[in-house]
Amino acid sequence: MAKASPAEQLRLLDLQALDSKMKQLDTRARSVRENPDLAALAAKAAAARTALGAAATESADIERELTRAEADVASVTARLERDQKHLDSGSGGSKELTALQSEIESLSRRRSDLEDTELEIMERLEAVKAVEAERRAEAAAAEEELAGLEAKRDTELAEIGAERAETQRQRTELADRFAPDLLAVYERTLSRHGIGAARLFHGTSEGSGMQLSPGDLADIRKAAADDVVFCPDSGCILVRSEEWGS
């Protein structure tokens, strides 16, 4: 059985307090990192980016369609102007001029149809551009909201990290003052059971929160004051207070 003076065993509670604090800080850090609001905002921002991408793609497609329509109108207009200039010159036979007049009428109708198509495309583009602007604003708002929450998360994690580093420093300093054998027992118990030491107070183990049985208490009474005893339920070292058995 490991041995340590009652005073040194009592100091194990200070070490456990620091270990418990670091565990709590780790839990807080995990909770901050896994904040469901952060995941929800990330999903919202991703959806907003996807919607913006779809609107931008549709807008680009219609812009290309408009470019083709404008080119078609320009081509027909150029041909119409050439024919009109030829007709106005009066050169050529009557048959040729009559055919030219017919073509000019046909081209005029064609240009009118193309201009109507061009106007319809412009109207669609205007509507899609309005949607794109709305989606862009939504995406920017979602990104800003996400960035704000991420900044808050990073600040909290930095604060937790600084507090944990200071707690770890204190823990290292305190651990160096224990006898190696006792520290080894404590560390092994902490690793196995998640708690290294707890107080035995009025017959109750603060490691398990359970009242010890009469038989367990009788065994502890038989142990010497410098014997290291363990909680039968939680497995941790039991530090006996002055009132432990009352």
Side-chain angles (χ1 to χ4, degrees):
M1 180 178 290
K3 289 184 175 292
S5 69
E8 190 168 21
Q9 290 188 46
L10 187 61
R11 288 195 301 117
L12 286 176
L13 296 179
D14 296 331
L15 190 62
Q16 178 62 65
L18 293 173
D19 283 327
S20 295
K21 183 177 180 180
M22 286 195 293
K23 186 175 181 180
Q24 291 167 359
L25 290 170
D26 290 342
T27 299
R28 278 180 54 198
R30 183 166 58 253
S31 177
V32 169
R33 284 193 296 269
E34 298 174 357
N35 183 356
D37 291 340
L38 191 59
L41 272 180
K44 179 182 176 181
R49 287 193 297 269
T50 299
L52 173 59
T57 297
E58 185 178 4
S59 178
D61 289 343
I62 296 177
E63 285 178 337
R64 285 191 291 270
E65 188 179 350
L66 179 59
T67 298
R68 290 193 296 270
E70 290 172 339
D72 290 342
V73 170
S75 176
V76 171
T77 298
R79 185 175 175 184
L80 184 59
E81 289 174 350
R82 287 196 304 270
D83 286 355
Q84 187 64 52
K85 184 177 181 181
H86 188 184
L87 180 64
D88 292 344
S89 71
S91 60
S94 60
K95 186 175 182 180
E96 180 184 353
L97 293 176
T98 299
L100 195 58
Q101 179 65 49
S102 178
E103 182 175 318
I104 288 173
E105 292 173 358
S106 176
L107 287 173
S108 295
R109 291 191 297 272
R110 173 63 175 160
R111 183 173 66 176
S112 178
D113 291 341
L114 288 173
E115 287 174 341
D116 288 344
T117 298
E118 182 183 14
L119 180 60
E120 182 270 332
I121 294 172
M122 291 174 65
E123 290 173 346
R124 283 196 288 122
L125 181 60
E126 183 180 1
V128 169
K129 283 291 187 182
V131 172
E132 182 183 359
E134 184 179 344
R135 296 293 178 267
R136 193 175 302 280
E138 291 172 351
E143 293 289 356
E144 183 178 359
E145 191 177 4
L146 176 61
L149 193 57
E150 287 177 335
K152 181 181 178 182
R153 174 203 61 193
D154 293 343
T155 298
E156 289 182 17
L157 287 176
E159 292 172 352
I160 293 170
E163 187 175 358
R164 193 187 192 288
E166 172 58 21
T167 304
Q168 179 65 64
R169 185 196 66 76
Q170 295 174 12
R171 200 262 187 203
T172 299
E173 182 179 305
L174 178 59
D176 287 343
R177 299 203 294 266
F178 281 95
D181 290 348
L182 178 62
L183 182 63
V185 172
Y186 172 86
E187 297 282 15
R188 185 166 58 250
T189 304
L190 178 68
S191 175
R192 287 178 179 175
H193 305 291
I195 181 170
R199 189 172 62 154
L200 177 59
F201 185 69
H202 291 309
T204 296
S205 165
E206 293 185 349
S208 65
M210 302 287 291
Q211 179 77 30
L212 269 63
S213 69
D216 290 329
L217 290 173
D219 289 339
I220 293 174
R221 286 192 181 92
K222 296 175 185 177
D226 62 350
D227 285 340
V228 175
V229 298
F230 297 89
C231 172
D233 297 307
S234 68
C236 71
I237 296 170
L238 281 179
V239 178
R240 287 161 284 179
S241 65
E242 292 183 0
E243 315 89 339
W244 72 268
S246 62

